[in-house]
Amino acid sequence: KKKNFLQSCIMRRCSTRPMHGQAVQWSPFFPDRLACAVSQNYGIGGCGQLLIMDTSQENLAITNCLEWAECIFDCCWSEGHEAHLVTCSGDGAVLLWDLGLGHVKSPVRAFRGHTKEACSVHWNQTRSGNTLLSSSWDGSVRLWEVGRPAAALAVFTDHLGIVYEARWSPHRPHVFASVSEDCTLKVWDCRSAPKAALAAAAHNYEILSVDWNKYQEQLVVTGSVDKTIRGFDLRSVHKPLFQLEGHGYAVRRVRCSPHSGAVIASCGYDFSVRTWDVSRPSKEALLEVFEDHTEFTLGLDFNLHRKGLLADCSWDESVCVRRLARV
C-alpha cells in the first residue's frame, strides 16, 4: 500500500507555521525520514528549530522538534551514524544533535569559532568520516572534528566576503568546494595549507550555492544571484560547460541528483522549484517547474533511496515532498 501511495502522490505538504523554512535534507539511512531547519521571522531574528519528519504516510508528520535559541539556517545528517545531525545557527554555532538519546532537549556538542552567522554545514561524505565543514558570514570556512569540539582543525579564509556554502566532494574525502559573496568558486584540499587549490570567477554576482555531480568527479554546479545555474569542469574553469536560465530571481540552492549524472534541481527567490537535464541543449534542459510556494524557496534535496522524490522548503511556512514525473 505504501508503494502504491508513493507512486500515485504527486505532492504532499506539511506546515511549519509559525517558522520559516531554511533547509532540508533526507536521511542517508531511512528513505522516509526528512530533516528541516526552520527559523522565526524569516531568519532575521528569533529562535530556530530542527524538525524531523516522517514522510511515509499521506500526511507528513513531524516526529521530533529540536529547539535552539538562535535561528537555524542549515542541517545535515551524519553518513556514519543514523541518529546524528548537525545544524548551524545565527550565533555562529555548529551544533551536534543525537536523536538516539530519546527526548532530545539540547545538542550534545557545540562547535564555536565563527564570529558571525553560520550559514551552511556539511558532514564528510565517507561512512568513516568524522569531520564537518561550516561556512559563515565572517568570510571563513571551518573544518571540525566531531570528537574535538574545542577548536577548529583548520580555518580557510581565502574568500573576500560571505561564504554562503561549502560542500565536501563525494569522490575525494579531503576535497571540498565553496562559493561566496566575492563571486568566486574555490576548491580546497584540506591536507594542504589553508589556501584554495583552485579559484574561479564563476559568476559576475554573488554565488549562493554549490554542489558536486555524483557521477563526474570534476564537475561542480553553482547557483547565483544573476539568476543562472552554471556547471564547471574543474580541469578547465575559464568557461562553464553549461549555463541554465529560467529563474526570475536569485538561485538559492542547487542539487545534483544521486540517481542521474544529468539531472539537477534548483530553487530560488522567484518562489519556484525547477529540474533540469544538462545532457540536453541549454534551451531545452528544463524538465519541470513547480510554482506552488508563495515565498522565497530556500531548501532542496533529492531522496537518496527513491528515484524521483524531491523535498523542498520555503519561507511560506511549508515543506513539500514531490514525486517528479521526469527524471
Side-chain angles (χ1 to χ4, degrees), residues 26-28 79 125 167 170-171 211-216 255-265 300-310 324 327:
W26 292 99
S27 166
E79 293 284 335
Q125 296 294 281
R167 288 183 68 80
H171 308 283
D211 198 21
W212 295 80
N213 186 281
K214 308 304 186 289
Y215 295 86
Q216 300 180 55
R255 289 294 179 259
C256 297
S257 170
H259 303 286
S260 168
V263 174
I264 294 169
L300 187 69
D301 198 35
F302 283 100
N303 191 297
L304 295 171
H305 303 271
R306 295 197 172 104
K307 184 177 180 180
L309 206 60
L310 187 72
L324 304 176
V327 290

Side-chain angles (χ1 to χ4, degrees), residues 265-285:
S266 61
C267 65
Y269 292 162
D270 61 359
F271 310 169
S272 76
V273 176
R274 296 167 186 259
T275 58
W276 314 79
D277 183 344
V278 299
S279 66
R280 302 180 176 190
S282 293
K283 292 184 178 181
E284 303 172 12

Side-chain angles (χ1 to χ4, degrees), residues 8 27 35 47 49 53 78-79 105 120 132 137 170 191 200 208 210-211 230 232 244 257 271 274 301 311:
S8 63
S27 166
C47 67
Q49 295 175 346
M53 298 182 176
S78 167
E79 293 284 335
K105 291 186 177 181
S120 85
L132 315 169
W137 279 51
R191 296 170 298 182
L208 304 182
V210 64
D211 198 21
R230 291 180 176 177
F232 292 91
L244 306 175
S257 170
F271 310 169
R274 296 167 186 259
D301 198 35

Side-chain angles (χ1 to χ4, degrees), residues 48-110:
Q49 295 175 346
L50 175 62
L51 306 178
I52 309 301
M53 298 182 176
D54 178 1
T55 68
S56 63
Q57 303 301 316
E58 181 175 358
N59 296 316
L60 306 183
I62 298 174
T63 59
N64 210 334
C65 176
L66 314 178
E67 298 185 342
W68 187 244
E70 297 283 341
C71 295
I72 295 178
F73 295 110
D74 199 10
C75 58
C76 187
W77 293 92
S78 167
E79 293 284 335
H81 195 301
E82 64 185 40
H84 286 179
L85 302 94
V86 284
T87 60
C88 62
S89 58
D91 58 356
V94 177
L95 307 172
L96 173 63
W97 305 84
D98 186 351
L99 301 181
L101 297 179
H103 186 61
V104 182
K105 291 186 177 181
S106 60
V108 294
R109 286 197 185 120

Side-chain angles (χ1 to χ4, degrees), residues 202-206 223-230 243 249-251:
H203 293 259
N204 293 325
Y205 294 86
E206 295 174 86
S224 171
V225 170
D226 66 13
K227 304 181 286 188
T228 69
I229 300 159
R230 291 180 176 177
Q243 176 170 299
Y249 292 101
V251 179

